[in-house]
Amino acid sequence: MRTVQFTEYGPASVVHVAEVEEPHAGPNEIRVAARASGISPGETALRAGRLRDMVPLAFPYRTGFDAAGVVDEVGEGVTGVNVGDEVFGMTSMTRRGANADFVILSAWAPKPAAWTWQEAGGAAGGVETATRVLDRLAVGTGHTVLVQGAAGGVGTLAVQLAAARGATVIGTASEHNHDFLRSLGAEPTTYGTGLVERVRALAPDGVDAVFDCAGGALPDLVAIAGDPARVVTIVPDPAAAALGVHLSHSAPDDKTGEAVGAPADPMAVHGLAVAVALADEGRLRVPVAAAFPLTEAAAAHELSESRHARGKIVLVNQDSI
């Protein structure tokens, strides 16, 4: 089968498609014939070598964490899903390899009928991450939440999931994305110089929680929250620990957690079922910035690194819709 991988650190051009043996579902796993899968900004940083001191890689490194497809193998101990079912979900953190023809999922949920394959293929990782951080921040009814980097793959889902919990959401993005953020349920503002003052004008009674999806502004985000314990980032930043800001990640080993300065948080796979319910009610969509054929994974990485993508970047398989 085809899989996307890289065998050295470098620019997007080191990403390529390789032929490898098909994986098979083990206990408590399922295999899907993939229709679409997501590109992770974190993996583009890993590929570029920007995190090599914190997260050294073993090569070849097979990319992709979330995918959607049709179940074609069901592992021992799995119930509630059958061959032929349409699902979306995530690989294990140790396996990855979701950008491929066949993908082993360790967590999954039924594909919402309202979502295209492209939307479903890019959903699971962002849903899990957003749910994990919103849970840690205990976001609920009546809270005001700032999402820094609200127009990206995780940010767009965080906005909608926070709003579904009853929170008021402020989101930062470039001005040309402001109407887009309003359509998702956020009050938009621009990032950069003057952010503290702009957010205070929008939320004169203060902000209860800050979810940083973009990085680069932690001192301002702490000032907005008034307490570093009310700020969570998903972007590795040496300033986080110094400022007392929690870096949320789900890396599978203690060594990685020590390197990035924070232990792993429990994965929020329960968020997948919540996402299905909201999607069925028309309250959660997965904005897709661009879709590339599996064979053009390098171009997808290049777009991801541009930081101009609005929503999720996905790869589609030949028989995808």
Side-chain angles (χ1 to χ4, degrees), residues 5-239:
Q5 64 180 37
F6 55 91
T7 57
E8 61 181 322
Y9 295 115
S13 59
V14 303
V15 176
H16 61 277
V17 172
E19 288 287 338
V20 300
E21 292 187 7
E22 294 180 10
H24 295 283
N28 303 312
E29 297 175 333
I30 63 172
R31 188 178 87 162
V32 298
R35 298 294 185 267
S37 57
I39 291 291
S40 164
E43 285 191 328
T44 65
L46 290 172
R47 186 220 70 237
R50 292 195 293 273
L51 304 177
R52 72 175 74 189
D53 293 336
M54 294 185 285
V55 190
L57 302 181
F59 298 119
Y61 183 92
R62 297 180 184 174
T63 64
F65 180 57
D66 44 12
V70 178
V71 178
D72 75 344
E73 285 185 4
V74 176
E76 181 182 353
V78 174
T79 60
V81 65
N82 299 294
V83 170
D85 288 352
E86 298 180 349
V87 301
F88 75 107
M90 301 176 292
T91 67
S92 70
M93 288 296 295
T94 52
R95 181 188 294 271
R96 292 191 174 264
N99 302 142
D101 287 319
F102 295 96
V103 181
I104 304 300
L105 300 182
S106 59
W108 59 87
K111 172 187 169 293
W115 287 355
T116 65
W117 281 117
Q118 293 178 13
E119 292 169 319
V127 166
E128 187 279 326
T129 301
T131 303
R132 175 175 11 110
V133 173
L134 294 174
D135 283 355
R136 183 177 181 93
L137 290 167
V139 170
T141 301
H143 292 162
T144 298
V145 181
L146 171 66
V147 178
Q148 168 80 343
V154 174
T156 54
L157 294 169
V159 165
Q160 296 173 85
L161 291 171
R165 294 179 179 215
T168 297
V169 184
I170 300 170
T172 68
S174 299
E175 191 168 353
H176 71 274
N177 283 323
H178 284 191
D179 285 344
F180 170 65
L181 290 189
R182 291 187 184 96
S183 76
L184 298 179
E187 179 64 34
T189 189
T190 53
Y191 45 76
T193 303
L195 177 63
V196 175
E197 292 73 22
R198 288 192 297 276
V199 173
R200 286 177 177 165
L202 292 172
D205 294 329
V207 168
D208 299 290
V210 177
F211 184 167
D212 175 31
C213 303
L218 286 181
D220 281 351
L221 301 183
V222 171
I224 289 167
D227 182 347
R230 303 211 308 259
V231 181
V232 174
T233 185
I234 58 172
V235 182
D237 184 339

